[in-house]
Amino acid sequence: MTRITARAVKVGLTVSAVAGIVALTSSGGHVLLLDIYLLCMGGVLLLALVRTTRARAPSTRGSQFDRALAAMRRQPPDSGDLALAHELELSTYNAFHLQARLRPVLRDIAAHRLRTRYGVELDREAARARELVGAQAWELVRPDRPPPEDRLARGPDADELAVVVDQLEAI
């Protein structure tokens, strides 16, 4: 006998005992008592059937939502290309975003390329770095670039930023 069946039998015997005691001690309402007894026994039987079916069904460990959520958490983070594209787009809307978020990334790229390919430090050898970096890219990565006067002004066009990216890739 399984645990589910044993529990159903225990609950069924308890309900039967209570119904028998109520039938013997009361003088009327036997029809109502019979309806309640049959309803309780049907509930016990139905619960036992549901638990048995669930126990014998193949385990799926969670709902489809739980599986989808777990799959989303397992996916590796993006490589950063999408994030850089997002920063480029936001920089066209706001000059301060260009200065605060995109410029440090572009400076890191320029400094790394200058250091590894030519042995030039971006901040220490500004004159030599200016020769190697394109004119439009230099305006963004130069060490003495001041912040924008109007923080809410529009940034450069996407075409201008594409030229800057091309110039940095050419280093």
Side-chain angles (χ1 to χ4, degrees):
M1 181 180 289
T2 65
R3 190 176 80 111
I4 296 170
T5 308
R7 286 183 73 188
V9 169
K10 284 181 190 177
V11 173
L13 288 175
T14 305
V15 168
S16 297
V18 169
I21 292 171
V22 171
L24 291 176
T25 59
S26 69
S27 60
H30 294 297
V31 175
L32 180 62
L33 178 64
L34 180 63
D35 288 344
I36 293 173
Y37 174 74
L38 292 175
L39 182 66
C40 289
M41 292 305 284
V44 169
L45 181 65
L46 185 61
L47 184 61
L49 289 173
V50 167
R51 287 182 175 172
T52 302
T53 305
R54 184 181 297 165
R56 293 189 181 182
S59 68
T60 56
R61 291 209 172 129
S63 66
Q64 288 180 347
F65 176 76
D66 292 334
R67 288 191 301 272
L69 187 61
M72 284 176 40
R73 289 183 179 154
R74 277 193 307 265
Q75 291 177 353
D78 62 344
S79 63
D81 295 340
L82 184 60
L84 186 57
H86 184 69
E87 295 296 333
L88 285 166
E89 181 181 354
L90 289 176
S91 294
T92 62
Y93 300 132
N94 188 311
F96 184 72
H97 190 276
L98 173 75
Q99 178 75 16
R101 299 291 303 262
L102 184 64
R103 182 174 177 267
V105 173
L106 296 178
R107 278 184 52 81
D108 288 344
I109 292 170
H112 176 73
R113 286 180 174 252
L114 287 170
R115 188 179 318 112
T116 57
R117 295 190 180 161
Y118 301 103
V120 174
E121 291 292 326
L122 179 65
D123 292 331
R124 291 187 192 146
E125 304 172 66
R128 177 77 175 124
R130 184 177 186 167
E131 293 172 8
L132 297 170
V133 177
Q136 287 182 313
W138 178 252
E139 285 303 314
L140 279 178
V141 301
R142 66 188 171 110
D144 59 343
R145 185 176 196 267
E149 292 178 16
D150 182 12
R151 291 179 154 209
L152 300 177
R154 290 192 58 83
D157 300 6
D159 295 334
E160 292 173 16
L161 287 177
V163 170
V164 170
V165 170
D166 289 342
Q167 288 177 352
L168 289 177
E169 286 178 347
I171 297 176

